Amino acid sequence: MRSVHRGRVVACFGKEWAVEDKSGRLVLAYPSVKCRELPCIGDLIEWESIDSQRGRILAVLPRITCLVRPGRNGKPRAAAANVDQVLIVIAPEPKFDLLLVDQYLVVGESQNIKPLLVVNKVDLLTDEARGCLLQELAPYRSSYPLLTVSAKTGEGIEALRSALKNQTSMFAGQSGVGKSSLLHVLIPNQAVRIGELSAITRRGRHTTTSARLFHLPDGGDLIDTPGVAIFGLAGIDPQQLARGYREFRSFIPQCRFADCQHASDLGCAVRHATETGAISLDRYQRYLKLLAKLPEIS
Ligand SMILES: Nc1nc2c(ncn2[C@@H]2O[C@H](COP(=O)(O)OP(=O)(O)O)[C@@H](O)[C@H]2O)c(=O)[nH]1
Ligand SMILES: [Mg+2]
Ligand SMILES: [Zn+2]
């Protein structure tokens, strides 16, 4: 009988998956007919060898967390599994979209994934501009951890490194904010890893667009995925949305109605808190926008 191994999916190439075992050996694997779920990056799986370089995936082990992206037929598809922490990267340039930031926060929170806000490219800011930016981000700083960093000068990188230690983290953020640059600073031997992956696929072109999991030198892993918006609102209901706004939480129990959606509802304590300044009006208005975007629940 063939022996069954455990491993982690460290790269996805469409119909093939790179799997790493405990010793760090990589094999190229594909799901057997027995495997009921399509694996995604970060998955823990059981597999058996076909030969020294290829394997068959027998099962995807239960996921602790799972981020989904809309699939071709509208059905959500697993995009990353077993992520502990999401790094929401923004920068002064390109101008950030706080609605997108809020969406990342809500979706992460709905999966119990810790958010970490990372403001990159702070080297571009004068002291005054930095002050203005931090002022604008004040509603986040009181409820979420936030680091200011520069991939270019190295500012804040040590703090970022220690926040990543022994966790599986994943990047989120618009293109151009500096995710690849940060990855480069955090993982100096990145090229070696990509080389190893190319060697097992024997097709370099594969490795440029795939989701990948890198090991951090101090312990922990960092996932980089191509593309941007894999954090869809599919499966999020109004209650989860409101709970994804951390500063709303202490007010929600004070709303008059248990099913309050915190919009025009009578006796809404959340809305009232925006009038007294306890909740940022900007954050609240973004909540209303996301509420309107939620898929209809039948
Ligand atoms: N000034 C400055 N530029 C940066 C920094 N980090 C990245 N960049 C630049 O921003 C651009 C986009 O970076 P990239 O890492 O490709 O962003 P990604 O699309 O999020 O992966 C590149 O031209 C980088 O050189 C930074 O900390 N400071
Ligand atoms: Mg990039
Ligand atoms: Zn309410």
Side-chain angles (χ1 to χ4, degrees), residues 185-248:
V185 172
L186 294 163
I187 306 186
N189 62 353
Q190 200 193 124
V192 175
R193 181 62 157 184
I194 292 171
E196 286 166 3
L197 291 171
S198 305
I200 65 160
T201 64
R202 296 184 206 89
R203 275 168 291 182
R205 66 183 168 87
H206 259 3
T207 52
T208 55
T209 54
S210 62
R212 291 189 297 251
L213 182 148
F214 294 94
H215 302 307
L216 292 154
D218 300 336
D221 304 296
L222 187 52
I223 291 174
D224 191 26
T225 59
V228 182
I230 68 155
F231 287 50
L233 286 169
I236 302 286
D237 64 30
Q239 275 72 34
Q240 281 172 315
L241 180 66
R243 287 194 58 74
Y245 279 74
R246 282 190 177 172
E247 68 273 37
F248 290 11

Side-chain angles (χ1 to χ4, degrees), residues 19-297:
V19 173
E20 185 184 54
D21 69 12
K22 273 213 190 86
S23 68
R25 186 170 64 110
L26 290 170
V27 296
L28 196 60
Y30 58 87
S32 78
V33 287
K34 277 186 254 168
C35 186
R36 281 199 241 112
E37 197 114 35
L38 272 187
C40 68
I41 193 83
D43 261 329
L44 295 168
I45 54 139
E46 287 183 343
W47 60 282
E48 63 182 12
S49 292
I50 297 171
D51 58 38
S52 67
Q53 291 177 327
R54 288 180 309 148
R56 213 172 351 251
I57 299 171
L58 303 172
V60 174
L61 298 176
R63 293 167 175 148
I64 295 166
T65 67
C66 181
L67 291 165
V68 298
R69 101 173 104 215
R72 256 178 237 124
N73 48 5
K75 222 180 115 207
R77 216 190 121 166
N82 305 315
V83 171
D84 303 312
Q85 176 166 260
V86 57
L87 308 183
I88 303 170
V89 186
I90 61 174
E93 195 31 73
K95 182 65 190 156
F96 44 82
D97 175 356
L98 293 177
L99 192 65
L100 188 63
V101 168
D102 286 9
Q103 183 163 330
Y104 289 142
L105 289 170
V106 166
V107 175
E109 206 89 59
S110 74
Q111 285 286 317
N112 282 319
I113 298 173
K114 288 179 289 184
L116 175 61
L117 289 163
V118 179
V119 183
N120 186 34
K121 305 196 196 183
V122 290
D123 59 280
L124 293 176
L125 298 168
T126 60
D127 288 349
E128 196 192 348
R130 187 188 287 234
C132 289
L133 178 66
L134 289 178
Q135 188 59 43
E136 191 179 356
L137 297 174
Y140 296 95
R141 284 158 63 217
S142 46
S143 302
Y144 303 92
L146 182 145
L147 293 176
T148 49
V149 305
S150 166
K152 193 173 174 185
T153 66
E155 180 184 342
I157 296 298
E158 276 318 305
L160 180 57
R161 245 188 249 288
S162 59
L164 300 182
K165 202 169 175 178
N166 299 332
Q167 317 260 329
T168 297
S169 305
M170 179 174 155
F171 278 125
Q174 285 161 264
S175 109
V177 293
K179 299 180 297 295
S180 300
S181 306
L182 288 169
L183 188 80
H184 205 78
V185 172
L186 294 163
I187 306 186
N189 62 353
Q190 200 193 124
V192 175
R193 181 62 157 184
I194 292 171
E196 286 166 3
L197 291 171
S198 305
I200 65 160
T201 64
R202 296 184 206 89
R203 275 168 291 182
R205 66 183 168 87
H206 259 3
T207 52
T208 55
T209 54
S210 62
R212 291 189 297 251
L213 182 148
F214 294 94
H215 302 307
L216 292 154
D218 300 336
D221 304 296
L222 187 52
I223 291 174
D224 191 26
T225 59
V228 182
I230 68 155
F231 287 50
L233 286 169
I236 302 286
D237 64 30
Q239 275 72 34
Q240 281 172 315
L241 180 66
R243 287 194 58 74
Y245 279 74
R246 282 190 177 172
E247 68 273 37
F248 290 11
R249 288 184 188 174
S250 63
F251 296 98
I252 292 171
Q254 300 165 42
C255 292
R256 185 175 305 169
F257 299 106
D259 62 350
C260 187
Q261 293 200 357
H262 323 297
S264 54
D265 311 56
L266 265 181
C268 175
V270 172
R271 193 182 62 244
H272 186 247
T274 66
E275 288 156 14
T276 64
I279 287 177
S280 140
L281 188 58
D282 290 339
R283 279 267 287 167
Y284 177 66
Q285 282 171 342
R286 287 194 289 275
Y287 162 80
L288 293 179
K289 276 194 191 155
L290 291 182
L291 183 66
K293 267 176 68 175
L294 288 189
E296 282 298 324
I297 295 166

